[in-house]
Amino acid sequence: MSFVSGSSTPFGIFDADSMFRIDADKVLEYVVRRLGDSHVQVELSSSDVYACFEEAAMDYSALVNSYQAKSVLSTFLGSPTGTLNGAENTYPQNSMEWARRQAEGFAELANLNSRNPTYKTSIDLASGQQEYDLQLLVIPTGSDGLPRRMIIRDVHHYAPLTSQ
């Protein structure tokens, strides 16, 4: 039996697709051979195989669409919602705006074009003391005079010129 568009699959989602019709017959032949049709009688109707093939094609399509959605999600983050502009059925392209937003966090960590000010200071060391709470020793204040938490990125220690 060969694939008949409109009656072989339960939902007919891919019935109009010529490649699906060609492949459906190939899948049927593959399945019955793998089940041992040349040695035993396979009591599986072709409609059952076509239905499974239709379901497999839908599952594969869902996986591809899910991957595509995850791949371009960052392009749409921060965009206003409910704005249909006609570009919904096209593949989004990465833009410089997307790349800038992605790189902003890394640039801040590297202290390049940072929005946060950088402070440099030193502390007095006490003889015999090994541990210091830098948040208590160096307290930056904001424009309102209130203390701010800070991120300590580098601690430089210079060895004395002479050993005692």
Side-chain angles (χ1 to χ4, degrees), residues 5 7 10 48 58 61 65 67 69 87 93 95 99 101 109 145 153 155:
S5 181
S7 64
D48 292 335
M58 288 188 304
S61 176
N65 290 335
Y67 175 79
Q93 300 294 319
S95 63
R101 282 188 282 144
L109 284 175
R153 297 180 192 219
V155 175

Side-chain angles (χ1 to χ4, degrees), residues 73 75-85 88 97 101:
L73 179 63
T75 304
F76 295 111
L77 291 176
S79 299
T81 58
T83 55
L84 299 177
N85 59 5
E88 291 78 32
E97 173 61 22
R101 282 188 282 144

Side-chain angles (χ1 to χ4, degrees), residues 49-68:
V49 176
Y50 294 144
C52 290
F53 183 51
E54 181 181 45
E55 182 181 5
M58 288 188 304
D59 287 347
Y60 178 73
S61 176
L63 289 172
V64 169
N65 290 335
S66 175
Y67 175 79
Q68 176 65 14

Side-chain angles (χ1 to χ4, degrees), residues 90-134:
T90 61
Y91 290 110
Q93 300 294 319
N94 289 339
S95 63
M96 284 304 291
E97 173 61 22
W98 173 83
R100 185 191 61 75
R101 282 188 282 144
Q102 291 291 102
E104 198 171 77
F106 298 108
E108 185 175 329
L109 284 175
N111 211 17
L112 301 171
N113 197 16
S114 177
R115 295 180 187 157
N116 298 324
T118 300
Y119 300 102
K120 293 180 183 182
T121 189
S122 62
I123 60 171
D124 294 324
L125 302 179
S127 178
Q129 184 177 353
Q130 293 291 319
E131 295 182 14
Y132 296 90
D133 187 350
L134 297 179

